[in-house]
Amino acid sequence: PTPSNVSIFKHTLLPTLYKQESYFAKLGLYFSPSSFNTLLKCPLQYYFKYIANFCAPDEDSKDNTTYGNIIHEVLYKAYKPYQGEIIDLQKMKQIQESCLTMLLQKNFDKGDTLSALQEIQIQKMLLEMETFFTKECEYITQNGAFTLIGLEMKFENFTLHNYVFAGRIDRIQQNQDGSILVIDYKYKKPDKNFEDLALEIYRQYILQQ
């Protein structure tokens, strides 16, 4: 064959005009706190995730959801025996021991052994739980013992400014001064540039009960 100085990869780029795409859909009035936050933060993301169902979670999101659910389950089981009781430092230490024991016994893949990645994740969760309970004990030291009022309180059909919400409050406790504290567990770094409205929705729900 005759050599050619024309590259086989040579091609011509044809300019095309940029076209802005628009998406329209009827907005429902029924939200969870997380879906409502998504709507406020990015309407386009809300459309893809909750209306078009196009947004599959990435691997990091899947891991956060999986391990976040584990943390919620372990905390619920550890605090449940003390619901309705006054939680002082001694009881908080008992809750901590119960929580860490259950976390160590958790079998992630329902097999006999865990993968190296799962082992690392367990150690990470153990460290984060240590930090969590350190802050719990600091709170009791500074504010005194509190009464554990409720755990995993679910609600639905709660109307706020013509929007209907459903959700689950992780923990509710009452301080010695009579104030009510609403706690929402999060297994992810908060977005400092955006205010999460879940706690405000929970607060409004409790105020109306």
Side-chain angles (χ1 to χ4, degrees):
T2 304
S4 173
N5 60 359
V6 179
S7 171
I8 62 174
F9 299 106
K10 184 178 180 180
H11 60 278
T12 302
L13 294 177
L14 298 177
T16 57
L17 295 176
Y18 174 75
K19 180 181 179 181
Q20 176 69 47
E21 294 184 335
S22 299
Y23 301 90
F24 300 91
K26 184 178 180 180
L27 180 65
L29 296 179
Y30 194 84
F31 297 94
S32 67
S34 59
S35 67
F36 192 69
N37 278 327
T38 301
L39 175 64
L40 296 180
K41 186 176 182 180
C42 180
L44 185 58
Q45 182 182 359
Y46 176 88
Y47 171 83
F48 284 134
K49 185 174 182 178
Y50 294 100
I51 297 179
N53 295 316
F54 285 163
C55 285
D58 56 28
E59 291 303 318
D60 289 339
S61 297
K62 289 181 180 179
D63 287 343
N64 283 337
T65 299
T66 299
Y67 297 124
N69 289 340
I70 291 172
I71 292 293
H72 276 74
E73 177 187 350
V74 169
L75 287 173
Y76 171 75
K77 290 182 177 179
Y79 278 93
K80 182 63 176 177
Y82 300 91
Q83 185 165 333
E85 298 185 11
I86 297 177
I87 309 299
D88 54 17
L89 283 175
Q90 181 179 358
K91 287 185 178 179
M92 183 58 70
K93 289 293 185 180
Q94 294 171 352
I95 294 172
Q96 179 180 1
E97 292 175 3
S98 176
C99 187
L100 295 180
T101 298
M102 285 189 287
L103 195 56
L104 283 170
Q105 293 175 344
K106 196 70 180 175
N107 193 334
F108 285 38
D109 59 358
K110 299 182 180 179
D112 296 327
T113 60
L114 301 178
S115 68
L117 184 60
Q118 288 171 328
E119 290 284 4
I120 292 174
Q121 189 63 44
I122 291 177
Q123 295 304 315
K124 177 183 176 183
M125 286 193 291
L126 287 172
L127 289 174
E128 291 178 347
M129 293 303 288
E130 289 283 358
T131 301
F132 174 85
F133 280 106
T134 296
K135 293 184 179 297
E136 289 278 65
C137 291
E138 289 176 353
Y139 183 87
I140 293 177
T141 301
Q142 296 173 3
N143 301 278
F146 61 83
T147 301
L148 182 58
I149 297 178
L151 297 167
E152 303 284 353
M153 179 183 290
K154 296 182 179 180
F155 64 89
E156 57 185 12
N157 297 323
F158 169 56
T159 302
L160 183 63
H161 299 298
N162 296 323
Y163 292 96
V164 181
F165 293 93
R168 181 188 63 188
I169 304 174
D170 293 328
R171 196 171 101 208
I172 305 173
Q173 61 192 50
Q174 184 173 29
N175 296 328
Q176 293 183 3
D177 62 2
S179 60
I180 302 296
L181 193 65
V182 178
I183 297 175
D184 185 35
Y185 303 135
K186 294 292 186 184
Y187 189 69
K188 61 181 178 180
K189 293 182 179 180
D191 185 349
K192 296 181 180 180
N193 298 318
F194 186 77
E195 182 179 3
D196 191 332
L197 296 179
L199 287 176
E200 178 60 26
I201 294 172
Y202 297 155
R203 187 179 79 90
Q204 293 295 333
Y205 171 75
I206 292 175
L207 287 174
Q208 295 187 29
Q209 300 310 300

